[in-house]
């Protein structure tokens, strides 16, 4: 079995995920997991599929033939599981230009791997401005000092609220 990670992007319309799922099914692929999102009129996401070696290229060719959808498939090897701890980092504060760069820079300074990252802005009616919210799942080595990470993130701005919890 070959593991493929398939990324897709296209103008949002009904049936995009169904077209992808039918294509995977037709080539005896086993849908392992996926994440999709709608943003600014576009639909994007990725899927991990296990497929027999002899079906890999036919599946990739069939995916490339889906109209109105940009598709990229990358074969990946099944790596060894790592013994890292996962933490969830929730951040909330006033929105400002560069906030994502500042957050990711701190994570990089601690040499941490971002596994998932989501963010959005929402209206803060009482303040008349936008509130930035982000959630990241990060891999950290055993015995990692999450207090030092929290201090470094909170030092970015006096209004930044940071909550770090162990992922179970």
């Amino acid at each position: 079995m070959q593991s493929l990670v398939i990324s897709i992007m296209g103008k949002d319309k009904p049936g995009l995920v169904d077209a992808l799922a039918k294509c995977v099914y037709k080539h005896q692929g086993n849908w392992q997991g996926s994440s999709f999102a709608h943003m600014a009129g576009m639909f994007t996401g990725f899927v991990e599929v296990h497929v027999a070696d002899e079906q890999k290229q036919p599946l990739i060719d069939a995916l490339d033939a889906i109209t109105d959808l940009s598709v990229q498939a990358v074969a990946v090897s099944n790596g060894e599981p790592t013994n890292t701890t996962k933490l969830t980092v929730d951040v909330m504060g006033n929105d400002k230009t560069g906030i994502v760069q500042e957050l990711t820079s701190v994570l990089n300074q601690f040499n941490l791997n971002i596994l998932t990252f989501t963010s959005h802005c929402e209206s803060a009616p009482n303040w008349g401005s936008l509130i930035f919210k982000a959630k990241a799942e990060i891999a950290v080595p055993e015995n990692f000092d999450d207090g030092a990470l929290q201090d470094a993130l909170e030092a970015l701005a006096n209004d930044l609220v940071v909550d770090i919890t162990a992922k179970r």
Side-chain angles (χ1 to χ4, degrees), residues 83-117:
N83 293 329
T84 57
T85 302
K86 294 178 185 174
L87 298 178
T88 300
V89 179
D90 288 290
V91 177
M92 182 176 66
N94 288 323
D95 185 42
K96 65 177 183 172
T97 301
I99 192 167
V100 172
Q101 181 277 320
E102 291 174 355
L103 293 170
T104 58
S105 180
V106 168
L107 295 175
N108 188 45
Q109 288 169 14
F110 282 84
N111 197 31
L112 301 175
N113 189 25
I114 300 171
L115 303 173
T116 64
F117 183 88

Side-chain angles (χ1 to χ4, degrees), residues 108-137:
N108 188 45
Q109 288 169 14
F110 282 84
N111 197 31
L112 301 175
N113 189 25
I114 300 171
L115 303 173
T116 64
F117 183 88
T118 58
S119 66
H120 69 278
C121 291
E122 59 187 50
S123 176
N126 296 339
W127 297 95
S129 62
L130 291 177
I131 294 292
F132 171 81
K133 291 185 177 182
K135 177 178 254 181
E137 181 180 310

Side-chain angles (χ1 to χ4, degrees), residues 26-46:
K26 180 179 176 186
H27 293 87
Q28 294 89 43
N30 187 4
W31 190 294
Q32 295 296 299
S34 58
S35 179
F36 297 108
H38 176 270
M39 191 171 291
M42 299 296 287
F43 185 77
T44 186
F46 54 92

Side-chain angles (χ1 to χ4, degrees), residues 1-52:
M1 284 293 220
Q2 179 74 54
S3 194
L4 292 177
V5 174
I6 304 162
S7 66
I8 67 163
M9 179 181 274
K11 185 163 175 47
D12 193 26
K13 67 178 183 179
L16 292 178
V17 175
D18 184 49
L20 183 64
K22 284 178 180 171
C23 194
V24 168
Y25 177 75
K26 180 179 176 186
H27 293 87
Q28 294 89 43
N30 187 4
W31 190 294
Q32 295 296 299
S34 58
S35 179
F36 297 108
H38 176 270
M39 191 171 291
M42 299 296 287
F43 185 77
T44 186
F46 54 92
V47 179
E48 180 185 359
V49 173
H50 290 175
V51 64

